[in-house]
């Protein structure tokens, strides 16, 4: 017992000690002894105790830090092979609309919702992997009260024929790529003078637009419209014409001012491209386009530092094997779908994909249409014919006259008549010279879909009027700023406008939606 008391005293001495502390006593400072003790350690209390147990502190564990959870991999595609990043956001209606506008001519009623119900890859593949002969949806075109049947008998028939395919064909990407390559290999009927030949050239783009660019290059080199446009049938041994040889490199395969070729290369490759001929037959014009060996310069040529008795097919091969062709191809194709250039790493991977596939176009197109830049990047101005065709598709309307030719021409784009061999300048498609024609395109598209002020028009609020106008266009995706402006306009008519004013308000809202910045771009 005595021993236990001694232990307690020793423990107390260890826990407590006497210290001197200065205090004020009777107005004076004095040092006094003070006993200081450490607080007792409390044992965990049994259940039901009024005092909670002391917190348990886990000592740090020595050794390596626990592994960081891995970052989820980027979205993967099941069928499409893409070496670049894939869009990882939600694929919804806004994304489906952009895809249908940039890779086609806009959605028909309900089509954006159908695509939005798919995943990204399925939506893209529905465009890039068409099968069979294209189905034509909707009513066939008419010119006045007469059915449009022959593109070469009707005034502006060639343009109406293709415009109808843009509006009604289910193979939307096929027709859009035909438009892309019509601009790429720009050929004007002003110089060709034969609509059947320029229309036939469009079929080359339909055939090879998702296939081999090498096959397209060979087909275009031997194409009658191109042989006429860039003087191929005049290029013969002893009288070499350099027009096609120069443009083949500068505009079609390599690009200007990149150090890809010299003037010597232009002369030498033009010699390789010689040998074509055709017959003029009254009254039909040029016929029987063919290669004539006797007109070909069979001598040795040196192109890009390589020497041989090259012919026209060798010329096509040499430009595609050039180290700068893949970069030209990827940059140019990208620009038709995305308005800002690709990053260097993206560019390099797409070039590798293109070369590795043997100059196939489809893999590059699919990678672009699945990329984040396609869905997250800035908007693009719709080409005039794309806007016009898309308005008719949205309203599910057929073509009813040749006015679509001069309407699109006024907006800066007439099919089969690009301004020069470099194609159209898309920077001039939306400016003070063309905006009026775009307004008129919307006005003509709405013909028959507006309300006569003298007719009865049901009561509706400003909000209901705007909703009805948006629904008329398939409820397109509009920015908050555009919706606010349209709503302010609708509200400006007052709380209870007369019936004829309500009709005019509805007509105006439909026109303003189609002419809005949101609808002019995608």
């Amino acid at each position: 017992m005595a021993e236990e008391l001694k232990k307690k005293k020793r423990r107390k001495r260890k826990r407590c000690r006497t210290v001197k502390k200065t205090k004020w006593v009777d107005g004076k400072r004095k040092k006094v002894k003070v006993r200081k003790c450490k607080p007792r350690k409390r044992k965990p209390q049994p259940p039901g105790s009024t005092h909670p147990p002391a917190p348990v502190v886990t000592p740090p564990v020595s050794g390596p830090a626990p592994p960081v959870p891995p970052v989820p991999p980027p979205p993967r595609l099941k069928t499409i092979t893409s070496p670049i990043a894939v869009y990882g956001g939600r694929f919804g209606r806004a994304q489906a609309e952009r895809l249908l506008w940039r890779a086609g001519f806009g959605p028909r009623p309900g089509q954006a919702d159908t695509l939005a119900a798919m995943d990204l890859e399925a939506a893209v593949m529905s465009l890039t992997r068409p099968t069979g002969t294209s189905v034509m949806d909707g009513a066939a075109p008419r010119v006045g009260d007469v059915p449009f049947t022959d593109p070469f008998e009707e005034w502006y028939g060639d343009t109406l024929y293709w415009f109808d395919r843009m509006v009604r064909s289910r193979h939307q990407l096929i027709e859009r790529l035909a438009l892309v390559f019509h601009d790429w290999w720009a050929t004007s009927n002003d110089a060709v003078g034969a609509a059947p030949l320029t229309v036939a050239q469009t079929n080359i783009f339909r055939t090879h637009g998702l296939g081999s660019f090498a096959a397209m290059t060979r087909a275009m080199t031997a194409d009658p419209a191109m042989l006429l446009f860039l003087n191929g049938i005049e290029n013969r041994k002893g009288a070499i014409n350099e027009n096609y040889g120069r443009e083949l490199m500068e505009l079609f395969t390599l690009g200007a001012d990149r150090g890809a070729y010299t003037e010597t290369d232009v002369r030498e490759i033009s010699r390789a491209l010689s040998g074509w001929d055709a017959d003029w037959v009254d009254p039909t014009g040029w016929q029987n386009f063919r290669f004539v060996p006797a007109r070909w310069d069979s001598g040795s040529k040196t192109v890009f530092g390589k020497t041989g008795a090259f012919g026209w097919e060798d010329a096509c091969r040499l430009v595609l094997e050039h180290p700068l062709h893949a970069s030209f191809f990827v940059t140019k194709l990208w620009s038709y779908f995305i308005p800002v250039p690709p990053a260097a790493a993206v560019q390099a991977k797409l070039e590798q994909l293109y070369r590795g596939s043997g100059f196939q176009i489809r893999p590059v197109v699919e990678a672009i249409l699945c990329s984040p830049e396609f869905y997250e990047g800035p908007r693009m101005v719709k080409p005039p014919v794309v806007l016009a065709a898309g308005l008719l598709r949205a309203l599910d309307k057929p073509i009813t006259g040749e006015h679509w030719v001069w309407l699109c021409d006024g907006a800066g784009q007439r099919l089969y008549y690009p301004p020069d061999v470099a194609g159209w300048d898309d920077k001039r498609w939306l400016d003070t010279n063309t905006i009026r024609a775009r307004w008129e395109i919307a006005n003509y598209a709405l013909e028959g879909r507006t309300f006569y002020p003298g007719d009865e028009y049901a009561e509706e609020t400003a909000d209901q009027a705007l909703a009805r106008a948006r629904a008329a266009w398939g409820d397109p995706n509009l920015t908050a700023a555009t919706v606010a402006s349209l709503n302010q306009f609708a509200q400006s008519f007052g709380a209870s406008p007369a019936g004829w004013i309500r009709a005019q308000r509805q007509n105006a809202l439909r026109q303003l939606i189609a002419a809005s910045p949101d609808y002019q771009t995608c």
Side-chain angles (χ1 to χ4, degrees), residues 185 187 192 196-205 216-230 232-233 244 276 289 312:
W185 301 83
T187 305
V192 176
L197 298 184
T198 50
V199 170
Q201 185 188 83
T202 316
N203 288 327
I204 294 176
F205 305 140
M216 181 185 292
T217 302
R218 291 192 296 270
M220 286 301 296
T221 302
D223 172 57
M226 182 62 78
L227 287 170
L228 290 173
F229 184 59
L230 290 180
I233 60 173
Y244 181 70
W276 294 96
F289 291 83
W312 71 272

Side-chain angles (χ1 to χ4, degrees), residues 395-411:
L395 297 172
D396 199 17
K397 290 183 63 177
I399 295 169
T400 56
E402 68 273 4
H403 51 268
W404 293 106
V405 180
W406 57 261
L407 283 168
C408 291
D409 192 17

Side-chain angles (χ1 to χ4, degrees), residues 29-70:
R29 294 179 64 186
K30 292 185 178 182
K31 288 187 177 182
V32 296
K33 292 181 180 180
V34 178
R35 191 78 163 163
K36 291 189 69 176
C37 298
K38 295 179 182 178
R40 293 178 180 273
K41 291 182 180 178
R42 295 185 178 276
K43 295 182 180 179
Q45 298 298 309
S49 170
T50 58
H51 300 288
V56 178
V57 179
T58 304
V61 180
S62 61
V68 178

